């Protein structure tokens, strides 16, 4: 009888404890949901205040970037082709802007720089080059001026220049100058459509590039969400003279701040440019012995998609 009484009491206490725990978990979930709703409401008010700040006339200046790098050393690591080597790479990306926003006009300026170096030193080869070599080399600056017709629509003129800076500076170099319309539906998004644009292409030596008249389309979205910085930019030129002269570049930068101004960053980009592919193929053909019998032309060159990416520490200015 006593054993049954003890067992019954234990089961009753266990059920009561389980019920209490269930009630406690449910209460905690309700409390958590309420706090989430409060956080969302606070974030909404913060975003509204930020939108008002962005709409205030005057200069808006900012920048953020990514630094990535690694070093390694191998000694008698026979499972690889170069068992004794030292290797290193470093990459730097900077996104900066300086925008003047007024009631009747705007002047938006931006720069994107993406540079990377790499080295591989084979200690068993005395003639091996142990210096850093350029791996990524992107330089792009734009300047957009617009006179507002409405709150979101403006007549505009754009100048955009892009090239390499570590090697082959201005070879090739691209300068777009044109006029048309700019649409700014929200403060962070800029869409440029310029049906009258001339794409100047600069080159040296035996390179074969053609400048042409065409249309310029640019879409840029830059935003900061709390600790997150994000920028995406699409720049395209559509040639009226020959589709093989057209080109486009899409770049993306993302950084997340972990502590103060330091965080992690990721950048990647895509590009399609048949004239660049053609001139690279010409340079490779010149190295072949014997030289190829087929005549290399722009039309018979494969326009493969170009890409780059960089992952590392980031710093927000």
């Amino acid at each position: 009888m006593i054993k049954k009484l003890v067992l019954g009491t234990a089961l009753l206490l266990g059920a009561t404890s389980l019920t209490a725990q269930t009630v406690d978990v449910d209460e905690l979930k309700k409390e958590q949901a309420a706090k989430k709703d409060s956080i969302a409401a606070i974030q909404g008010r913060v975003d509204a205040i930020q939108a008002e700040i962005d709409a205030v006339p005057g200069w808006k200046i900012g920048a953020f970037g990514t630094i990535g790098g690694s070093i390694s050393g191998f000694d008698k690591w026979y499972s690889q082709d170069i068992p004794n080597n030292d290797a290193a790479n470093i990459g730097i990306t900077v996104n900066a802007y300086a925008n003047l926003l007024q009631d009747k006009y705007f002047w938006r300026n931006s720069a994107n720089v993406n540079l990377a170096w790499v080295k591989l030193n084979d200690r068993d080869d005395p003639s091996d080059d142990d210096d850093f070599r350029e791996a990524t080399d992107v330089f792009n600056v734009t300047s957009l001026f617009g006179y507002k017709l409405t709150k979101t629509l403006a007549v505009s003129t754009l100048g955009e220049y892009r090239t390499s800076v570590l090697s082959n500076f201005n070879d090739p170099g691209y300068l777009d100058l044109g006029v048309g319309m700019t649409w700014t539906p929200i403060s962070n998004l800029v869409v440029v459509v310029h049906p009258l644009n001339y794409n100047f292409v600069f080159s040296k030596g035996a390179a074969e590039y053609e400048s042409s008249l065409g249309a310029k389309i640019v879409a840029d979205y830059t935003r900061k969400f709390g600790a997150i910085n994000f920028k995406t930019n699409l720049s395209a030129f559509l040639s009226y003279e020959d589709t093989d002269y057209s080109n486009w570049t899409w770049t993306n930068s993302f950084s997340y701040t972990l502590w103060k101004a330091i965080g992690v960053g990721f950048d990647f980009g895509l590009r399609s440019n048949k004239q660049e592919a053609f001139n690279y193929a010409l340079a490779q053909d010149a190295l072949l012995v014997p030289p190829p019998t087929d005549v290399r032309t722009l039309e018979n060159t494969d326009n493969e998609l170009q890409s780059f990416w960089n992952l590392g520490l980031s710093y927000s200015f």
Side-chain angles (χ1 to χ4, degrees):
M1 182 67 180
I2 296 176
K3 290 183 178 180
K4 292 182 179 180
L5 181 59
V6 172
L7 180 60
T9 303
L11 291 174
L12 180 61
L13 291 174
T16 304
S17 175
L18 181 60
T19 304
Q21 289 179 8
T22 304
V23 171
D24 289 344
V25 170
D26 292 339
E27 291 297 328
L28 288 173
K29 287 183 177 180
K30 290 179 181 178
E31 184 178 351
Q32 182 186 51
K35 291 186 180 297
K36 285 184 177 179
D37 290 341
S38 299
I39 293 172
I42 293 171
Q43 186 61 53
R45 292 196 294 271
V46 170
D47 291 342
I49 294 172
Q50 185 61 51
E52 293 180 8
I53 294 173
D54 294 338
V56 173
W59 282 99
K60 305 291 188 296
I61 299 174
F64 68 95
T66 302
I67 299 176
S70 68
I71 58 174
S72 64
F74 289 87
D75 186 55
K76 301 179 180 63
W77 199 266
Y78 297 118
S79 62
Q80 58 188 18
D81 292 337
I82 307 176
N84 302 295
N85 74 76
D86 299 309
N89 68 78
I90 183 171
I92 301 172
T93 301
V94 176
N95 294 281
Y97 63 89
N99 300 331
L100 176 61
L101 306 179
Q102 298 292 347
D103 293 334
K104 292 296 184 180
Y105 66 91
F106 58 79
W107 183 25
R108 296 176 176 268
N109 305 277
S110 65
N112 171 256
V113 182
N114 190 309
L115 308 175
W117 299 263
V118 63
K119 82 167 183 175
L120 175 62
N121 177 26
D122 183 356
R123 297 196 300 271
D124 297 326
D125 184 359
S127 62
D128 185 47
D129 185 3
D130 60 356
D131 293 331
F132 277 94
R133 294 179 293 173
E134 298 84 5
T136 304
D137 194 355
V138 178
F139 178 80
N140 191 345
V141 293
T142 63
S143 184
L144 174 68
F145 179 84
Y147 185 83
K148 296 181 180 180
L149 300 177
T150 67
K151 185 178 179 180
T152 60
L153 200 62
V155 291
S156 57
T157 179
L158 171 72
E160 180 184 76
Y161 177 71
R162 58 194 186 279
T163 185
S164 301
V165 293
L166 299 178
S167 61
N168 303 323
F169 177 72
N170 206 40
D171 184 23
Y174 301 89
L175 175 63
D176 280 291
L177 296 174
V179 294
M181 304 296 293
T182 294
W183 181 48
T184 52
I186 56 178
S187 60
N188 307 103
L189 176 63
V190 179
V191 179
V192 179
V193 179
H194 285 179
L196 184 60
N197 180 92
Y198 201 82
N199 178 236
F200 297 91
V201 187
F202 309 100
S203 61
K204 304 172 185 176
E208 299 182 21
Y209 287 91
E210 295 291 339
S211 303
S212 64
L213 182 68
K216 184 73 174 179
I217 299 174
V218 177
D220 184 279
Y221 183 76
T222 305
R223 185 72 186 272
K224 183 175 182 179
F225 304 90
I228 299 174
N229 281 297
F230 176 72
K231 178 182 177 66
T232 181
N233 179 277
L234 173 65
S235 177
F237 170 71
L238 308 176
S239 177
Y240 294 148
E241 300 180 28
D242 193 325
T243 56
D244 288 338
Y245 300 160
S246 301
N247 60 79
W248 60 265
T249 302
W250 182 37
T251 58
N252 301 268
S253 296
F254 168 90
S255 71
Y256 181 77
T257 303
L258 298 173
W259 178 73
K260 293 186 177 180
I262 300 174
V264 293
F266 177 70
D267 305 273
F268 77 93
L270 301 174
R271 173 181 288 175
S272 174
N273 191 315
K274 194 167 186 178
Q275 292 199 82
E276 289 182 352
F278 169 58
N279 280 276
Y280 178 79
L282 282 179
Q284 296 303 302
D285 290 346
L287 299 176
L288 297 178
V289 179
T293 56
D294 295 336
V295 177
R296 172 73 63 178
T297 65
L298 181 63
E299 290 75 15
N300 65 18
T301 299
D302 292 331
N303 184 23
E304 297 183 358
L305 187 65
Q306 306 174 43
S307 66
F308 74 83
W309 63 271
N310 181 41
L311 174 66
L313 294 176
S314 67
Y315 185 84
S316 298
F317 302 94

